[in-house]
Amino acid sequence: MSEVEAARYSWGGDEFIFVEMAEQMSLQANFRVMAITKALRDKRPDGVLEICPANASYQVRYDPDVIPPGELLDRLRDLEHQVGDAHDLALPTRVVEIPVLYRDPWTTETLMRFRDRHQEPQTTDIEYAARINGYSSVEEFIAAHSGSPWFTSMVGFVAGLPFMFQMVPRERQIIVPKYLRPRTDTPKQTVGYGGCFSCIYSVRGAGGYQLFGITPAPIYDPTQKLPDFADFMVFFRPGDIVRFSPIDRERYDAHLAEAEAGTFRIRTEPVEFSLHEFLDDPDGYNARLLEVLP
């Protein structure tokens, strides 16, 4: 087992325990979170009320009248030891294709209304992101953003919003700070970016992530009328591997019409993701993942 950070355990009042697996986001930290929370759900002790995994941490709500805090802490530490570095964990998941119209007119109009809250008021968000990450053009930046898969590390903050972590070595990851002050408006289904995470805004509302484009694909349907939501109102699941596919305005309009007619389906394909195979050869493994959906 490789050397890993020891988890940090913190109490929240008398009903919550928060567990931080690592100070820095990584696939390995996220895999450890998923493995521990899955094991806790599979053998859920009496008194554990809620289990909430996040990017590199998780939180447990419990009833102290049923399970003493010390006993719960011992169980969680045992699970941490059993999971170890999660290097050999294999995850049954799926590859998901998300079509994106980069530099679309709606997010562009929105971001231009909020330039006083941005680091570079004289540029667009995607121009700023391209420059600070060393890309010579927006087109080169889009190729990098869409040219590698993204791992869905958690779903939340608002209903159905996926946080996606770029599956490349850390020195090649896109890093973009959030706005200096949040916007009060963001179009639904905007593809955004903040820190090391890409996201898709599931609903219209406030936000602070940089705006790169928009997808015609619905990812949240509380009515569950659309075909992708027969089982659940939220499309994304932790562990989903995302492939962003650039599209033009004509294709966007066609997909949007299909979504409005209730016939659009997000393309998916089941796959088993192996952490150690990815860590041994990230570029080769990513190439195989991207070929899962022809």
Side-chain angles (χ1 to χ4, degrees):
M1 185 177 75
S2 61
E3 190 72 22
V4 294
E5 289 183 56
R8 185 188 312 178
Y9 296 82
S10 305
W11 301 104
D14 57 1
E15 291 187 350
F16 296 90
I17 183 168
F18 176 72
V19 186
E20 186 178 17
M21 302 306 299
E23 293 186 358
Q24 203 171 42
M25 173 59 192
S26 69
L27 282 180
Q28 192 163 17
N30 186 252
F31 260 58
R32 294 177 71 205
V33 167
M34 287 195 294
I36 290 170
T37 54
K38 180 181 184 302
L40 188 61
R41 280 192 297 269
D42 289 346
K43 296 183 178 180
R44 191 177 194 132
D46 291 341
V48 170
L49 305 178
E50 294 179 88
I51 304 164
C52 182
N55 292 312
S57 61
Y58 68 95
Q59 183 167 273
V60 177
R61 180 176 173 234
Y62 66 98
D63 184 343
D65 293 328
V66 177
I67 182 168
E71 180 182 331
L72 176 60
L73 178 61
D74 289 342
R75 285 176 179 256
L76 297 182
R77 283 179 167 154
D78 285 344
L79 289 176
E80 178 192 357
H81 178 73
Q82 292 169 27
V83 166
D85 63 3
H87 189 264
D88 295 324
L89 180 65
L91 176 70
T93 184
R94 58 184 179 170
V95 176
V96 174
E97 182 180 57
I98 297 296
V100 181
L101 177 61
Y102 290 91
R103 294 187 287 184
D104 66 281
W106 306 283
T107 62
T108 300
E109 185 276 331
T110 300
L111 67 88
M112 294 308 295
R113 283 193 278 124
F114 294 96
R115 297 328 283 164
D116 62 320
R117 305 175 186 219
H118 196 272
Q119 290 86 349
E120 286 192 0
Q122 71 277 16
T123 65
T124 65
D125 292 6
I126 200 167
E127 289 169 342
Y128 169 70
R131 184 188 67 77
I132 66 171
N133 281 277
Y135 293 99
S136 61
S137 66
V138 169
E139 289 72 22
E140 185 180 341
F141 178 83
I142 292 172
H145 187 265
S146 61
S148 61
W150 296 76
F151 191 85
T152 304
S153 54
M154 66 171 282
V155 180
F157 186 70
V158 297
L161 184 150
F163 287 81
M164 295 168 284
F165 186 71
Q166 192 178 21
M167 296 170 60
V168 295
R170 189 173 298 277
E171 64 273 11
R172 286 161 44 197
Q173 284 184 334
I174 296 169
I175 303 293
V176 190
K178 295 188 288 185
Y179 274 43
L180 298 174
R181 291 185 293 128
R183 299 175 306 277
T184 56
D185 190 24
T186 309
K188 179 177 69 173
Q189 291 161 210
T190 290
V191 176
Y193 210 102
C196 64
F197 293 106
S198 199
C199 82
I200 302 173
Y201 284 79
S202 52
V203 296
R204 183 176 182 179
Y209 277 23
Q210 309 284 337
L211 311 184
F212 293 168
I214 198 166
T215 177
I219 64 167
Y220 174 59
D221 177 19
T223 69
Q224 293 187 251
K225 293 179 179 178
L226 297 174
D228 281 329
F229 301 88
D231 297 328
F232 192 47
M233 67 181 68
V234 171
F235 177 80
F236 277 98
R237 312 165 190 163
D240 279 346
I241 296 170
V242 178
R243 182 178 80 179
F244 291 118
S245 294
I247 57 174
D248 59 19
R249 177 63 187 272
E250 182 178 4
R251 179 65 64 85
Y252 174 87
D253 289 343
H255 285 332
L256 188 63
E258 292 170 357
E260 291 172 348
T263 60
F264 180 82
R265 299 297 300 266
I266 296 175
R267 297 178 68 215
T268 67
E269 190 68 29
V271 69
E272 184 170 270
F273 179 72
S274 167
L275 180 61
H276 78 84
E277 289 184 34
F278 168 77
L279 294 174
D280 289 345
D281 180 17
D283 290 336
Y285 196 77
N286 283 348
R288 295 192 292 275
L289 285 175
L290 293 175
E291 291 171 356
V292 168
L293 281 170

